Each structure stands twice: as C-alpha cells, then as structure tokens.
Amino acid sequence: MKRLQRLFSGRWMQKTYTLSVLNQQNSLSNNCSTEDVKKESNLNCHLFVGATVLAYLSYKLFYEEYVAYLKEIKTLVKPGALKENLPNYTLKQVAEHREREKRIWVTYKDGVYDITEFVDAHPGGDQILLAAGASVEPFWKLYGQHHADFVYEILESLRIGNLVDDQKPSSTTSDFSDPFIKEPIRHAALIPASEKPFNAELPPTLLVANFITPNELFYVRNHLPVPEVDPKKYELEVDVEGTNKSIKLTVESLKKLPKHTITATIMCAGNRRSEMTEVKPVKGLSWGVGALGNAEWSGVLLRDVLISMGIDENSNFQHVQFEGLDTDPTKKPYGASIPFWKAIDRKGDVLLAYEMNNEVIPRDHGFPVRVIVPGVVGARNVKWLKRIIVSNNESDSHWQQNDYKGFSPGIDWDNVDFSKSPAIQELPVTSAICVPSPNQTVTVRDGHITAYGYAWSGGGKKIIRVDVTIDKGDTWHVADIIQQDSAEPPQHWGWSLWTVQVPVSKNAKEVEIWVKAVDSSYNTQPESFKNIWNLRGVLSNAYHKVPIKLQWD
Amino acid sequence: MKRLQRLFSGRWMQKTYTLSVLNQQNSLSNNCSTEDVKKESNLNCHLFVGATVLAYLSYKLFYEEYVAYLKEIKTLVKPGALKENLPNYTLKQVAEHREREKRIWVTYKDGVYDITEFVDAHPGGDQILLAAGASVEPFWKLYGQHHADFVYEILESLRIGNLVDDQKPSSTTSDFSDPFIKEPIRHAALIPASEKPFNAELPPTLLVANFITPNELFYVRNHLPVPEVDPKKYELEVDVEGTNKSIKLTVESLKKLPKHTITATIMCAGNRRSEMTEVKPVKGLSWGVGALGNAEWSGVLLRDVLISMGIDENSNFQHVQFEGLDTDPTKKPYGASIPFWKAIDRKGDVLLAYEMNNEVIPRDHGFPVRVIVPGVVGARNVKWLKRIIVSNNESDSHWQQNDYKGFSPGIDWDNVDFSKSPAIQELPVTSAICVPSPNQTVTVRDGHITAYGYAWSGGGKKIIRVDVTIDKGDTWHVADIIQQDSAEPPQHWGWSLWTVQVPVSKNAKEVEIWVKAVDSSYNTQPESFKNIWNLRGVLSNAYHKVPIKLQWD
C-alpha cells in the first residue's frame, strides 16, 4: 500500500501537469480553457507552475515505473458507480468520519471511500481534509485535474461502501416544533455563519480556486427555513396589478420558453461585515470575504415573460415584486422588489432561473425556480419563487423596507428611520485578498510574495483594474486579471479573479497587503470602514487589508 | 441721487422678499418654484432667511414712502431696450470699465449702465462687482429676484448708452497667424484655466447659487479654437460604417424631428485636478471644483435618428464616433466615441442638442449642434458636431486613445501605456464644498456653521446621501438635499445641491470641513488623493476638504 501511495504520488504530479495542458479544451471546470479568459492562466495554473518543475523531475524518475503500471490496467473502472456486496452508508454516517481517530471517509457519486491512509500522499496536501465526511465532487470541480483515469483508480482502491440517500423527506419522523427539520444536508467545507436559518460561506482559498463556484460550495443565505417543493406541483404566478393579467407557469412551461444563460456573481449585502464590526459593533451575520459566488445561471428572461403578457418598456409600472415559498411563522413569505426598468430592460438579463451551472438548482439555492437579478444585491434574487407582481409599489416586506439599506455613520439604532434610505439594489465595487490568509506565514520567493483574490462591481460594471500595496499606499502594483467574463458593460455580471506578485523589502518580517479595485465607471473603493460604518454592517467595501508574516526562501 | 439710492435700497429688500414669495410660480430662474425640488428651500431661499427679518423692518419703515413712490410711476420702462440719442459702446469698451477709478459699467440686453455710485447700495453686496465690465444677465438668472419692476427702474436710472454688437466676424481685420482671433467674448466672471484654447470655470460660490447654470457662466472646456459656423450652411453628416447608409441633417431638419429635453450635468474629467496636484504634480489644466455645470439641453435623440436610418438595438455595432468642426493645425478634427449601446439605448438619452437652457447653444458650448451624452465625461460630449459614424471601432483621436484615461498611482510617464486603460466614459461619484471657501473666516451662529455644495455621479445615478464631517470622520452629519431632478436612475443626469448645518465645539478656532457623497449604487468617494493619483490628474474625486477659520457670533 505504501509503495503504491508513493508511486501514485509521483504519478499524480506528472499526470496532473500533463492533464492540465492536454485536457484544457475538454474540461468544463478547468478554467484555463474558457474562451472568456482575459489571460489564459488562472489560479490553478499558477499553483501548478511550481508543480510543473516537480512534475518534470517526477516524470523522469517515475517514467519507467509508470509505463509498467499502465500495462497493468486492463479495464478502466467506472468511478463512483454502485458496487454490489458492499455495505450501505448514509450521508449522516459518512459525516461522522472526519478525523483520523474515527477514520476519514469521503463520497464520490454513489461510492464511499476511506481515505485515511491516503491523506499524507495527497499532492494537494491537507486540502483533501476539507472533504472529510463529505463529497469530494465540488473540489474536483474546483480542481479539474482530478478527472483522470489514474485518479479514479486510486479512489476506487480505497472503496469501502455505497452511499444511500437519506435526504428524502420523511413526514413520519418530522419534529413539527422545529421548522428547520427538513433542511438539506450541506457540504462540510461551508463555514456556517448561522445554523437556523442556515447561512454559510466558503473558505477564501477555495473561493478563488475556480472562476465558477460549484453548486455545493456556493455561499448560502437563507432568511427562513428551506421550503420543500414538489416540482410536479410547482406553479409560479405572475400578476399585473390593476389589470386582470395573470398567468401561471410550471417548470415544464418555463422550459418551453427561450433559454437564456448568463454568468453572474451573487453577493450578500453583508459580505465582509466582520471587517466593519471591528470599528464598532453592527447587527448582522458575521460574514468574512466569502458571502458571494459566481455561477452560470440558465432560465427564461423575465422580460420575455412580461412581453408575452403585453407588458413592455413603455408600460408605466415602477416596480416588480417577488415572493418566495419560504415563510415566517405567521406564513408571511420572504419578499423583495426591483425597479421595473431593470426587469423589462433589454440589457437587464433578469432571469427566472431553473439551472445553476448546468444542473438543477439545488434546494439551498431556490429549487425549482429562483429569480436572478444580476448586478443587484443577493437579497432581491428571491429563491423558491412563488409569485411575481408587476406593480407601482415596492415590496412591503421587512427585507425591502426595514433591512438591506445603507445609512450614514452618524445614524444608529436610536435615531434610524428606515424610510429615509433607498433599498439597496446595485452593489458598489469591492475586492478581497483570498490567498494568503490573515496572519499566515508566507514564503518570499525571488524577493516577491504572491497574492490572489477576487473583485466585482454591481450594475453590470466590469473590473478594469486591481491595485495592491504593501506599504500603505506609497507604492501601488497593478494586479493581473486571471479571468473575467467576455460580456461588456452594462451586462458584465461576473466577478474577476486576480493575482499579483509584489516585491518585498529585504529583511522585512511582516507586511500588510491592501487591495482596491476600479470598475468600468472608474468608481473605486473607500479606504476605511470608519467612514462607511453603518448600523446594519452592509456595503462593507473598504480596502481589504491582510497582515502577513514573512519567511525568506 | 443718494436719497434715491437709500430709498431703493430699503425698497429692494422688502420687495425682494415679497417677490421671492409672490413670483415664485412665474420666474423660470427662481429655483424655489420648480416642481422638481426635493425640498422647496434652496440656497437663494437660505440667503434670504436673514434678509426676511431685515425686509420686514424695512417694510414698516419705508411703507409710506414706497406707496408714494408707486404713485409716481406712470409707465413702466422697457428695461434694456435701445434708447435713441444715447452713445453706442461695444462689449470691448464696456470691459474696460471694471474698477471705480475707470467707473464700473455693466450691460443688460441692449443697455449700458454706469453702476459706480450704486455699488455700495446693492443689497447683495460686492457680488455685483462680478458683473463689472460685463453683463448682469447671467447673475439675474442665478438670483431670480432681480426680475422686478422696481429693479428695472433703478437700472434704467443708471443708463448711459447702448450696446452694439462687436462679435460679428470681421475677416478684414483677422490676424491669420492667430487661430484664436475669432473667439467669442466670455463673461468676466469666468476664471480662466487657460486662454488659448479658452478654458474657464465659475467661482464656487456662484456655482451653487442656482440649480441651473446660466449659459454665460457655464464652464468652458475647449481643446482647439472655437470654429465659426454659419447655421444656414451647417450640415451634420451621419454615416454607418460598412453600409451605404448616410444622411445629412441641417439645423432646420433637426428641428422638425421630435424634440427631447433633459437636465444634465456635464463635467470635465479633470474637475478638481488642483487638489490631486498637491500630492504630486500631474499634467493638465489646474481646475478647481468648478469644471462642471448643470443645464437643460434640448434637441433630437440620437437614437431616433439612428432608428430612422434602420439601425436599432439589435444591430451589431460597438461604437459611435463623433467629429467636431474644431480642428488642429493639421486640420484633424476633435474626436471622441461612446459605446453603441449608450447611443441606441432607450434610456441613454443621447441628444443632438441645439438648445441650452431654452436658448440657442452659445458658440463656446457647440453652436449650432453638439452631442450631449448624459452621465458621461465631458470629453465625449463633442461640440460643433460635424460627423457621426456608427462603427465597430472606437474613435482613433488623440483624446480617445491617448488622453482621458485613468491609471494606477504606480504608473508615471516613464512606464505608461495608454492602450492598457479603457477610455473614460461614465464618471464616478463626486462632491464639493462651494461655500465657505478654503481659509475663509466663517461666523459661528447658534453654535453651528453652514456649508453649501454640489454632488453628482455619472451613469444616470442619483445622489442619495451627502455626509459632512468637521472632526476627520469621528462624527458624520447628513446634509439636506436642496434640489435635485425628479428623474429616477438610470436616467438621473443632473447634479444635487446640498446644505448642512454642523455644530462646532465651543471655542474652536478653526476646523476642516470634509464632504463625501453616496450614489444610488451606494458607491462612495475615496478618502485621499494619494491612493487615486494618476499622471493625467483625472477622476479626482476624493473627499473635498476645506479648512476654515471660525469667528464666534
């Protein structure tokens, strides 16, 4: 076994590099390949620059052994398929195996695997432990090089059982006193900000590992319990206030309308709130930099639906309201609204989405239909969409009227009047450093340190520049945009991933990295949280500052 | 004469107040009256709060004398009309009379007036000297209360002559070695940033005296000599690249198309450059906070013209180029371009404008036709429009390719590559304090100081809040929006005027006022120029900071 591991370890590395070059035209999740890229390199590629050198050496060393090994392979396994005569395990049982003492289990499709002995040999290091007690699939979407025959071989050699579905709602066992009893099981890599309702973000390092965030790892922002929806019975009602215009749409009828796909980042208004809290406490979930994700959303343009009902750009409506199937204890649904012009605009791209990254939208993200309002705060992207109302009034919901609004730093809970501020719609420009982490010890190589992160702006604006400094603004370095969508403003909805190499003064022992982004309207970020502090801790887009320790190579 | 002046002075004050109340429905330039106002009060109103008290006392004192005076008036004069048997003066001659020693002359329509003896009696104080040697008309647009019979009476009592037109091009006297020989005469209140080409801004105090900036006082930004255009021979050519679509439009044919009016602020990319220069020198005109103005523009929607030529939102063009009639010594015209989507967008409001504030556009502002691209940097609002080209390419002009672009503070003239930055289009959010002026001594009243200013954002965004601090951000005060346009985003093109009363710590001798604005995308301004410095000194939108001295009441 140990000899096998050493072999695999070497093989992994050389194969990894080969695959990352050869397969880039095929792998959907390998972001070196997308035509949309501004630069062909991406974070994976960068991570593998170092690996390349090692891989080349490994290739020389292991070549003969590898050729021999290839000859041994008679037939390729079908990875993750059900295997008879193996024990069945539920996700809940798998989730109990997250430490060496209890053995470390993971799942892949229908397979359950004990990877305890493999962990040390994993070329990606400890990252594999993020999948402990859960599925490796989202990580394999992040790091596309796993989709290789020799990786499947390793995996199946560790097979211990089959995964059985324990997600089915079981009304007989429901505890009716807990409205959260029927929540979906979430991936263990998500860091919860609250459990009930469930809210969670991805660790920053994983966040920027891929231009597209896998569904299982997409940040979750729920205000209420996740509703259980039977897609066969599902109906979306669209009403036009003051008229008798009203239609009902099923999932099937939506799928018969023209399908439209956009790449859009959805971000919570409270993303990066934890940094603002350091100035003075605020009310809200203590999000880090991970309350956002970037996905491909497919569905029907709300504009197309409205036009089919006889509503167009000339109609004199002011707002479009959305209601979700998620309700509070008084049965009042989650609600929000957007300006009518955004809904009807030819370039608004407001979607009634039924697919997320080419899969059915997961329960946590609005199954079976949610509205995607690109460029606009997450709170208006109503999930589990039940009803749309074309209206002259904003939604009267709590979340539209008395939450998700910005205020001056001089306003606090004793003098706030929520009617004085407009509901947040388009979000301002922001950015964050995701690698390295705060207080991490970073190795200086060739006199430089390397950082990675994201930048994004609302309203269809494109990021045109990311500036980084490690001397409090005396010297600014322009980061390289690793990847961004090819769509031009005002329809540029996705984030931009960036990297930068910054020269470090000799013998420096610690530095603080600052980042700011500039969007296509040349708006940029404010410097400090003190001057944008607000009682709800929203719109927390000041410079992201990450102190690190330095270790010289 | 002196008795008359004293009488008028008293009458002026009481009439001023009466008129400001009674005539507010009629006076176009009195901004208390506009339906668009968010608050009915404005700067004028505020200035007259103090005057009201005095006016009431004056009313009591002067009532009887006033009634007697009214009886004397037999027929009202027609102010500013030609009067036979008076000497003729040219604007150039009038301009020589700007000081007491040489007598102080002003003009109103066709009249020339010697106001030397009236200056001390003017209720508005020294402000009247801003019109010395020039026309009072733009100031009467700023301060609408001048349009009253008793004011006309005073004026005509000071009449000394008639104004004759010395603006006519006289080819016999032209000095062909100076391409600037045929420049229009500008109002003396404009502060030149450069003479040839002429570039000038308004003093900040006047800038915020009215929501609409009078044509004569609108900032001027010329890159080349002002062309002389015969409106009867004028033709605007519109071409569609790669097709044989081409039309020619005269002023008359434009006027036959549907007329569209918008209120839009036009701002130079270099507005407030002088503040950025303090960090480190930049290249460009040293603008203060006055390189912008707000006007009503009327003309034909470019969209309508393009649609009439068979171009619509589905057309696959990328840019629309503009060429002016102003040319450099090699006969190359001023040029710029905007994205095609902005030109064709239903909400883009791009205008082929032939009127500015209900008057023919003045020569300095593009007579007879300029393009107004609301929400977009002044440089793309091409004046003296000669040609429009629907294209797949940006304008190749110097001003599109090698100027009007933003860069990182780390980029200087030794390492700049203009191809790396996008041409500025939409401008970021900005604001400025216009009253008080830097280093002014301000009287503290009831423990407070009062400030006035403007705020604006590009891209059709509305200003939703203006924050002011005098303790470096420890305490922020929300300013009152005095006036803003009623148009909603994404078609809110005008600026917002604001005022704030800030409490001052007892015995403080000096403070520094800071302002920042927030727009409807919740973008706000960066704090310091250091971190947004760029070699051309554009996009200079950091907090405006005005140090003042305090005098206790």
Side-chain angles (χ1 to χ4, degrees), chain B residues 300-318:
Chain B
V300 176
L301 285 171
L302 175 55
R303 169 187 159 87
D304 288 349
V305 171
L306 296 181
I307 286 174
S308 76
M309 295 176 73
I311 312 289
D312 65 18
E313 291 104 332
N314 297 317
S315 306
N316 271 328
F317 293 100
Q318 296 301 310

PDB file of all heavy atoms in Angstrom, chain B residues 300-318:
ATOM      1  N   VAL B 300     -32.607  66.487 -30.503  1.00  0.00           N
ATOM      2  CA  VAL B 300     -33.179  65.255 -31.050  1.00  0.00           C
ATOM      3  C   VAL B 300     -32.402  64.076 -30.483  1.00  0.00           C
ATOM      4  O   VAL B 300     -31.174  64.138 -30.373  1.00  0.00           O
ATOM      5  CB  VAL B 300     -33.054  65.288 -32.591  1.00  0.00           C
ATOM      6  CG1 VAL B 300     -33.546  63.986 -33.194  1.00  0.00           C
ATOM      7  CG2 VAL B 300     -33.819  66.477 -33.142  1.00  0.00           C
ATOM      8  N   LEU B 301     -33.116  63.026 -30.102  1.00  0.00           N
ATOM      9  CA  LEU B 301     -32.424  61.840 -29.602  1.00  0.00           C
ATOM     10  C   LEU B 301     -31.629  61.196 -30.732  1.00  0.00           C
ATOM     11  O   LEU B 301     -32.178  60.917 -31.806  1.00  0.00           O
ATOM     12  CB  LEU B 301     -33.433  60.830 -29.046  1.00  0.00           C
ATOM     13  CG  LEU B 301     -34.043  61.167 -27.686  1.00  0.00           C
ATOM     14  CD1 LEU B 301     -35.176  60.196 -27.356  1.00  0.00           C
ATOM     15  CD2 LEU B 301     -32.984  61.142 -26.576  1.00  0.00           C
ATOM     16  N   LEU B 302     -30.346  60.964 -30.490  1.00  0.00           N
ATOM     17  CA  LEU B 302     -29.521  60.258 -31.486  1.00  0.00           C
ATOM     18  C   LEU B 302     -30.165  58.914 -31.819  1.00  0.00           C
ATOM     19  O   LEU B 302     -30.172  58.478 -32.974  1.00  0.00           O
ATOM     20  CB  LEU B 302     -28.094  60.073 -30.931  1.00  0.00           C
ATOM     21  CG  LEU B 302     -27.135  59.247 -31.789  1.00  0.00           C
ATOM     22  CD1 LEU B 302     -27.029  59.791 -33.206  1.00  0.00           C
ATOM     23  CD2 LEU B 302     -25.751  59.193 -31.143  1.00  0.00           C
ATOM     24  N   ARG B 303     -30.735  58.277 -30.823  1.00  0.00           N
ATOM     25  CA  ARG B 303     -31.446  57.010 -31.031  1.00  0.00           C
ATOM     26  C   ARG B 303     -32.519  57.138 -32.118  1.00  0.00           C
ATOM     27  O   ARG B 303     -32.638  56.276 -32.989  1.00  0.00           O
ATOM     28  CB  ARG B 303     -32.074  56.597 -29.692  1.00  0.00           C
ATOM     29  CG  ARG B 303     -33.062  55.449 -29.760  1.00  0.00           C
ATOM     30  CD  ARG B 303     -33.731  55.252 -28.390  1.00  0.00           C
ATOM     31  NE  ARG B 303     -34.994  54.535 -28.528  1.00  0.00           N
ATOM     32  CZ  ARG B 303     -35.095  53.217 -28.538  1.00  0.00           C
ATOM     33  NH1 ARG B 303     -34.020  52.472 -28.411  1.00  0.00           N
ATOM     34  NH2 ARG B 303     -36.268  52.639 -28.676  1.00  0.00           N
ATOM     35  N   ASP B 304     -33.283  58.220 -32.061  1.00  0.00           N
ATOM     36  CA  ASP B 304     -34.347  58.415 -33.054  1.00  0.00           C
ATOM     37  C   ASP B 304     -33.766  58.545 -34.465  1.00  0.00           C
ATOM     38  O   ASP B 304     -34.312  57.991 -35.426  1.00  0.00           O
ATOM     39  CB  ASP B 304     -35.168  59.674 -32.722  1.00  0.00           C
ATOM     40  CG  ASP B 304     -36.062  59.472 -31.492  1.00  0.00           C
ATOM     41  OD1 ASP B 304     -36.201  58.314 -31.038  1.00  0.00           O
ATOM     42  OD2 ASP B 304     -36.614  60.468 -30.995  1.00  0.00           O
ATOM     43  N   VAL B 305     -32.655  59.278 -34.559  1.00  0.00           N
ATOM     44  CA  VAL B 305     -32.019  59.451 -35.876  1.00  0.00           C
ATOM     45  C   VAL B 305     -31.520  58.098 -36.393  1.00  0.00           C
ATOM     46  O   VAL B 305     -31.733  57.742 -37.555  1.00  0.00           O
ATOM     47  CB  VAL B 305     -30.862  60.470 -35.789  1.00  0.00           C
ATOM     48  CG1 VAL B 305     -30.062  60.499 -37.088  1.00  0.00           C
ATOM     49  CG2 VAL B 305     -31.403  61.849 -35.448  1.00  0.00           C
ATOM     50  N   LEU B 306     -30.872  57.342 -35.506  1.00  0.00           N
ATOM     51  CA  LEU B 306     -30.326  56.045 -35.929  1.00  0.00           C
ATOM     52  C   LEU B 306     -31.441  55.089 -36.339  1.00  0.00           C
ATOM     53  O   LEU B 306     -31.336  54.391 -37.354  1.00  0.00           O
ATOM     54  CB  LEU B 306     -29.469  55.437 -34.806  1.00  0.00           C
ATOM     55  CG  LEU B 306     -28.205  56.229 -34.439  1.00  0.00           C
ATOM     56  CD1 LEU B 306     -27.414  55.517 -33.339  1.00  0.00           C
ATOM     57  CD2 LEU B 306     -27.313  56.457 -35.659  1.00  0.00           C
ATOM     58  N   ILE B 307     -32.534  55.078 -35.557  1.00  0.00           N
ATOM     59  CA  ILE B 307     -33.647  54.186 -35.891  1.00  0.00           C
ATOM     60  C   ILE B 307     -34.227  54.580 -37.249  1.00  0.00           C
ATOM     61  O   ILE B 307     -34.561  53.713 -38.071  1.00  0.00           O
ATOM     62  CB  ILE B 307     -34.714  54.202 -34.775  1.00  0.00           C
ATOM     63  CG1 ILE B 307     -34.187  53.418 -33.562  1.00  0.00           C
ATOM     64  CG2 ILE B 307     -36.039  53.599 -35.265  1.00  0.00           C
ATOM     65  CD1 ILE B 307     -35.065  53.462 -32.319  1.00  0.00           C
ATOM     66  N   SER B 308     -34.294  55.893 -37.526  1.00  0.00           N
ATOM     67  CA  SER B 308     -34.825  56.341 -38.820  1.00  0.00           C
ATOM     68  C   SER B 308     -33.934  55.881 -39.970  1.00  0.00           C
ATOM     69  O   SER B 308     -34.356  55.816 -41.115  1.00  0.00           O
ATOM     70  CB  SER B 308     -34.953  57.869 -38.843  1.00  0.00           C
ATOM     71  OG  SER B 308     -33.680  58.462 -39.013  1.00  0.00           O
ATOM     72  N   MET B 309     -32.675  55.543 -39.639  1.00  0.00           N
ATOM     73  CA  MET B 309     -31.746  55.042 -40.665  1.00  0.00           C
ATOM     74  C   MET B 309     -31.701  53.518 -40.700  1.00  0.00           C
ATOM     75  O   MET B 309     -30.872  52.937 -41.408  1.00  0.00           O
ATOM     76  CB  MET B 309     -30.339  55.584 -40.380  1.00  0.00           C
ATOM     77  CG  MET B 309     -30.221  57.091 -40.498  1.00  0.00           C
ATOM     78  SD  MET B 309     -28.566  57.665 -40.031  1.00  0.00           S
ATOM     79  CE  MET B 309     -27.585  57.112 -41.447  1.00  0.00           C
ATOM     80  N   GLY B 310     -32.566  52.881 -39.920  1.00  0.00           N
ATOM     81  CA  GLY B 310     -32.621  51.416 -39.935  1.00  0.00           C
ATOM     82  C   GLY B 310     -31.660  50.749 -38.973  1.00  0.00           C
ATOM     83  O   GLY B 310     -31.402  49.542 -39.065  1.00  0.00           O
ATOM     84  N   ILE B 311     -31.118  51.517 -38.046  1.00  0.00           N
ATOM     85  CA  ILE B 311     -30.227  50.938 -37.013  1.00  0.00           C
ATOM     86  C   ILE B 311     -31.038  50.818 -35.733  1.00  0.00           C
ATOM     87  O   ILE B 311     -31.715  51.774 -35.344  1.00  0.00           O
ATOM     88  CB  ILE B 311     -29.045  51.890 -36.723  1.00  0.00           C
ATOM     89  CG1 ILE B 311     -28.386  52.382 -38.005  1.00  0.00           C
ATOM     90  CG2 ILE B 311     -28.031  51.269 -35.776  1.00  0.00           C
ATOM     91  CD1 ILE B 311     -27.606  51.368 -38.727  1.00  0.00           C
ATOM     92  N   ASP B 312     -30.980  49.664 -35.064  1.00  0.00           N
ATOM     93  CA  ASP B 312     -31.686  49.554 -33.787  1.00  0.00           C
ATOM     94  C   ASP B 312     -30.868  48.767 -32.770  1.00  0.00           C
ATOM     95  O   ASP B 312     -29.696  48.470 -33.003  1.00  0.00           O
ATOM     96  CB  ASP B 312     -33.086  48.966 -33.978  1.00  0.00           C
ATOM     97  CG  ASP B 312     -33.018  47.534 -34.479  1.00  0.00           C
ATOM     98  OD1 ASP B 312     -31.950  46.891 -34.348  1.00  0.00           O
ATOM     99  OD2 ASP B 312     -34.032  47.050 -35.010  1.00  0.00           O
ATOM    100  N   GLU B 313     -31.514  48.428 -31.636  1.00  0.00           N
ATOM    101  CA  GLU B 313     -30.772  47.772 -30.540  1.00  0.00           C
ATOM    102  C   GLU B 313     -30.182  46.426 -30.963  1.00  0.00           C
ATOM    103  O   GLU B 313     -29.276  45.932 -30.303  1.00  0.00           O
ATOM    104  CB  GLU B 313     -31.695  47.517 -29.334  1.00  0.00           C
ATOM    105  CG  GLU B 313     -32.149  48.754 -28.614  1.00  0.00           C
ATOM    106  CD  GLU B 313     -33.581  49.105 -28.949  1.00  0.00           C
ATOM    107  OE1 GLU B 313     -34.034  48.764 -30.074  1.00  0.00           O
ATOM    108  OE2 GLU B 313     -34.254  49.729 -28.097  1.00  0.00           O
ATOM    109  N   ASN B 314     -30.745  45.823 -32.001  1.00  0.00           N
ATOM    110  CA  ASN B 314     -30.238  44.520 -32.412  1.00  0.00           C
ATOM    111  C   ASN B 314     -29.037  44.618 -33.346  1.00  0.00           C
ATOM    112  O   ASN B 314     -28.431  43.600 -33.685  1.00  0.00           O
ATOM    113  CB  ASN B 314     -31.355  43.724 -33.101  1.00  0.00           C
ATOM    114  CG  ASN B 314     -32.502  43.451 -32.140  1.00  0.00           C
ATOM    115  OD1 ASN B 314     -32.269  43.107 -30.986  1.00  0.00           O
ATOM    116  ND2 ASN B 314     -33.723  43.657 -32.597  1.00  0.00           N
ATOM    117  N   SER B 315     -28.731  45.834 -33.781  1.00  0.00           N
ATOM    118  CA  SER B 315     -27.597  45.998 -34.696  1.00  0.00           C
ATOM    119  C   SER B 315     -26.295  45.677 -33.971  1.00  0.00           C
ATOM    120  O   SER B 315     -26.143  45.980 -32.798  1.00  0.00           O
ATOM    121  CB  SER B 315     -27.550  47.440 -35.213  1.00  0.00           C
ATOM    122  OG  SER B 315     -28.791  47.798 -35.787  1.00  0.00           O
ATOM    123  N   ASN B 316     -25.376  45.079 -34.732  1.00  0.00           N
ATOM    124  CA  ASN B 316     -24.138  44.612 -34.101  1.00  0.00           C
ATOM    125  C   ASN B 316     -23.005  45.614 -34.189  1.00  0.00           C
ATOM    126  O   ASN B 316     -21.910  45.278 -34.625  1.00  0.00           O
ATOM    127  CB  ASN B 316     -23.691  43.302 -34.749  1.00  0.00           C
ATOM    128  CG  ASN B 316     -24.336  42.123 -34.031  1.00  0.00           C
ATOM    129  OD1 ASN B 316     -24.573  42.201 -32.835  1.00  0.00           O
ATOM    130  ND2 ASN B 316     -24.603  41.064 -34.764  1.00  0.00           N
ATOM    131  N   PHE B 317     -23.238  46.850 -33.812  1.00  0.00           N
ATOM    132  CA  PHE B 317     -22.152  47.823 -33.822  1.00  0.00           C
ATOM    133  C   PHE B 317     -21.616  47.968 -32.396  1.00  0.00           C
ATOM    134  O   PHE B 317     -22.304  47.657 -31.427  1.00  0.00           O
ATOM    135  CB  PHE B 317     -22.640  49.169 -34.356  1.00  0.00           C
ATOM    136  CG  PHE B 317     -23.016  49.103 -35.814  1.00  0.00           C
ATOM    137  CD1 PHE B 317     -24.359  48.982 -36.198  1.00  0.00           C
ATOM    138  CD2 PHE B 317     -22.039  49.129 -36.797  1.00  0.00           C
ATOM    139  CE1 PHE B 317     -24.697  48.897 -37.530  1.00  0.00           C
ATOM    140  CE2 PHE B 317     -22.379  49.041 -38.134  1.00  0.00           C
ATOM    141  CZ  PHE B 317     -23.718  48.926 -38.510  1.00  0.00           C
ATOM    142  N   GLN B 318     -20.397  48.450 -32.293  1.00  0.00           N
ATOM    143  CA  GLN B 318     -19.774  48.559 -30.974  1.00  0.00           C
ATOM    144  C   GLN B 318     -19.616  49.998 -30.487  1.00  0.00           C
ATOM    145  O   GLN B 318     -19.609  50.250 -29.294  1.00  0.00           O
ATOM    146  CB  GLN B 318     -18.380  47.899 -30.996  1.00  0.00           C
ATOM    147  CG  GLN B 318     -18.424  46.401 -31.273  1.00  0.00           C
ATOM    148  CD  GLN B 318     -19.244  45.638 -30.247  1.00  0.00           C
ATOM    149  OE1 GLN B 318     -19.048  45.806 -29.058  1.00  0.00           O
ATOM    150  NE2 GLN B 318     -20.193  44.843 -30.703  1.00  0.00           N
TER     151      GLN B 318
END
